[in-house]
Amino acid sequence: MISALLTMVISVPPPAPLAPLPSTRQLAWQDLEFTAFIHFGPNTFTDKEWGQGDEPATVFNPTALDAKQWVRVMKEAGIKGVVITAKHHDGFCLWPTAFSTHSVKASAWKDGHGDVLRELSDACRDGGLRFGVYLSPWDRNNPQYGTGEAYNTIFRSQLREVLSSYGPIFEVWFDGACGEGPNGKRQVYDFPSFRAVVRELQPDAVIFSDVGPDIRWVGNEQGWAGDTCWAMLKVAGHGIGHDNPPSTKSLNEGDEDGESWIPAECDVSIRPGWFYHAHEDDQVKTPAQLFDLWERSVGHNANFLLNFPVDRRGLIHDQDVQSVLGLRALIDATYGSGTDQARGRPTAADSIRGFEPRSAAEELRPEPFGPDKAVDGNPATFWATNDGTTAASIEIELDPSKEFDRVVLAEPIALGQRVKRFRISVPATPSNNHRDWITLAEGTTIGHKRIVRVPTTKARHLRIEILQSRACPCLSSVSVHSTRDASLQPAR
Ligand code: FUL
């Protein structure tokens, strides 16, 4: 009996993956969802955003640097990894590089014996946070900058130092900015060779630049991705920094017919500036503002990269700590464990992969791709339809006494991003037996996670219609939440 059941279960093959597909490193990165940036360096002490590169290294002198505090705050906020400005445009290196004199070695901090990357990577390892590095190719200090291969060799050497001295690195961030202007120095970066160094020394690390190869810029520095957001991109026509076309729409939304899998990352600072400025102490984004951005990045198939401008002491400022912990409280109250009103509820679907009509005796036979797989809390299982079916719907029976205002959908993206258009609706009246439905929301893409804001609603049934899909649709999760408890949280 059991083996007969197993045969039936196994005889339904899963849908074929639909190219382009994510790499293992991209899949692991996307699951992190929420990561942090640290901007720290001479600018912190000179009150600048872009240093000239001629600032004396001695200006860098934090009085109480404590990377463990950064990691503690991030862990408490639910952040999974941190990317630090190892070298910003001013060329100052936060580690004692052998390939430039402009570094912590020449600073007053710890009499030139300090190493910020060492302190942060150690704290990350101890605290269980992933460690990543930002390196700006634009270097306003290095005398070789603008000479071509000589500078590229220095940059590669610095990259080698950073990638081979501090343990595993999850993300390498290549900034595309360059403000040299028409009469400035012209350096042609050898990006293919930079990428080769990363692949050689840290094969699991994702590489960020405006256009990947692994992670793309989302086209703004405000922390949000488009309502439509494909992980795919048509790379042709895009470049890094100034080569980027003036329209950043396709970075923001991706391309349905993009040939490359390059998901978006939404970078934004918790304050107006990337670096610390005391006059911005009262301009820290509120928990509610951060929650809005978190929903429009993580909930729009992208990752959220929230910057903390570490202050002159070398600490995350208390205002910033309060705000990000306030954000965590809002996320937990809305999406934390026990908040999902769809979890384990009865489901139905008008199409199920491999389904065959069966006798009452067989009713209990498990369906490997049944709609219950979308509400079982297991991201590895999913509802799917037969090949060739690209429009189908799933219904979930809810507790009608509970109100909700968020519906969260997810696709198993290892099979590619498939859904093009969906609709969410509820019966017009609790008793009309599904004859009339009211649309709560219509949307386009889903991907890794799609948070849909819907009017505050109570309903006995919720229907998700997949209206169009690139191939048979698959949903690994449908969850239902309310921000009511979050809005009751006192502002922190
Ligand atoms: C930009 C830089 O110019 C800013 O200073 C900052 O580092 C931001 C994250 O990227 O391109």
Side-chain angles (χ1 to χ4, degrees), residues 78 100 142 154 196 253 284 298 312 332 478:
S100 159
N142 202 292
I154 291 171
E253 299 188 351
V284 177
V298 172
R312 290 184 182 178
D332 285 347
V478 176

Side-chain angles (χ1 to χ4, degrees), residues 141-160:
N141 172 269
N142 202 292
Q144 300 296 331
Y145 185 87
T147 62
E149 191 44 29
Y151 174 75
N152 285 333
T153 303
I154 291 171
F155 189 78
R156 272 192 304 272
S157 305
Q158 293 186 325
L159 198 51
R160 283 191 170 276

Side-chain angles (χ1 to χ4, degrees), residues 177-393:
C178 177
E180 285 293 326
N183 300 317
K185 294 179 181 173
R186 280 275 160 266
Q187 170 71 36
V188 179
Y189 304 127
D190 185 359
F191 273 113
S193 73
F194 302 166
R195 290 175 192 146
V197 172
V198 182
R199 293 290 193 243
E200 176 199 331
L201 297 173
Q202 296 282 346
D204 295 335
V206 286
I207 302 175
F208 167 97
S209 83
D210 289 344
V211 289
D214 300 318
I215 309 299
R216 74 175 192 264
W217 183 46
V218 77
N220 66 60
E221 291 186 333
Q222 293 147 24
W224 56 272
D227 285 347
T228 295
C229 190
W230 295 100
M232 295 89 85
L233 188 72
K234 280 196 258 187
V235 175
H238 286 289
I240 297 180
H242 286 293
D243 297 336
N244 246 322
S247 160
T248 47
K249 189 169 185 285
S250 80
L251 292 178
N252 193 246
E253 299 188 351
D255 296 310
E256 180 189 326
D257 52 352
E259 75 293 334
S260 307
W261 184 277
I262 311 181
E265 178 178 71
C266 303
D267 61 323
V268 65
S269 187
I270 197 165
R271 292 164 174 245
W274 293 101
F275 284 90
Y276 179 77
H277 309 289
H279 69 266
E280 292 180 352
D281 282 352
D282 58 357
Q283 294 176 60
V284 177
K285 290 185 177 63
T286 63
Q289 287 171 319
L290 294 175
F291 185 68
D292 173 60
L293 295 177
W294 180 86
E295 284 195 327
R296 292 196 288 142
S297 52
V298 172
H300 284 186
N301 189 32
N303 273 14
F304 190 40
L305 179 64
L306 179 64
N307 178 62
F308 296 91
V310 162
D311 68 18
R312 290 184 182 178
R313 296 169 302 171
L315 298 174
I316 298 179
H317 192 278
D318 192 51
Q319 292 286 359
D320 309 35
V321 174
Q322 292 314 315
S323 264
V324 77
L325 296 185
L327 164 64
R328 185 74 245 162
L330 297 182
I331 295 173
D332 285 347
T334 308
Y335 299 105
S337 92
T339 59
D340 175 10
Q341 299 172 27
R343 176 71 62 86
R345 301 289 300 177
T347 53
D350 61 5
S351 177
I352 298 175
R353 187 176 188 79
F355 176 84
E356 284 160 18
R358 76 279 305 270
S359 65
E362 277 188 306
E363 263 302 286
L364 290 177
R365 191 179 90 193
E367 287 294 345
F369 302 104
D372 54 312
K373 300 297 184 290
V375 296
D376 65 0
N378 179 357
T381 60
F382 52 90
W383 165 63
T385 67
N386 285 328
D387 294 344
T389 301
T390 52
S393 65

Side-chain angles (χ1 to χ4, degrees), residues 397-411:
E397 198 179 309
L398 298 176
D399 175 347
S401 70
K402 292 188 180 163
E403 65 180 38
F404 61 90
D405 58 7
R406 295 290 189 275
V407 176
V408 186
L409 309 173
E411 292 182 84

Side-chain angles (χ1 to χ4, degrees), residues 47-206:
D47 227 0
K48 290 182 190 167
E49 278 292 306
W50 278 7
Q52 308 275 49
D54 58 0
E55 299 78 17
T58 46
V59 299
F60 182 83
N61 196 12
T63 50
L65 188 144
D66 182 6
K68 292 197 185 79
Q69 183 246 7
W70 311 352
V71 170
R72 250 194 332 268
V73 170
M74 290 173 189
K75 291 279 291 180
E76 220 183 307
I79 289 168
K80 300 286 193 276
V82 56
V83 176
I84 184 168
T85 52
K87 174 170 100 154
H88 202 251
H89 309 322
D90 57 25
F92 184 85
C93 298
L94 292 183
W95 79 101
T97 175
F99 298 94
S100 159
T101 51
H102 201 46
S103 81
V104 280
K105 245 201 304 198
S107 78
W109 180 56
K110 297 195 168 176
D111 293 328
H113 296 293
D115 180 346
V116 182
L117 299 195
R118 174 76 54 219
E119 300 206 9
L120 180 54
S121 57
D122 284 353
C124 282
R125 197 192 47 240
D126 295 348
L129 202 71
R130 286 171 184 78
F131 175 63
V133 286
Y134 162 119
L135 276 125
S136 165
W138 183 33
D139 184 329
R140 307 179 88 181
N141 172 269
N142 202 292
Q144 300 296 331
Y145 185 87
T147 62
E149 191 44 29
Y151 174 75
N152 285 333
T153 303
I154 291 171
F155 189 78
R156 272 192 304 272
S157 305
Q158 293 186 325
L159 198 51
R160 283 191 170 276
E161 286 181 322
V162 167
L163 300 184
S164 54
S165 313
Y166 301 99
I169 292 204
F170 83 103
E171 177 164 346
V172 178
W173 221 89
F174 289 134
D175 197 320
C178 177
E180 285 293 326
N183 300 317
K185 294 179 181 173
R186 280 275 160 266
Q187 170 71 36
V188 179
Y189 304 127
D190 185 359
F191 273 113
S193 73
F194 302 166
R195 290 175 192 146
V197 172
V198 182
R199 293 290 193 243
E200 176 199 331
L201 297 173
Q202 296 282 346
D204 295 335
V206 286

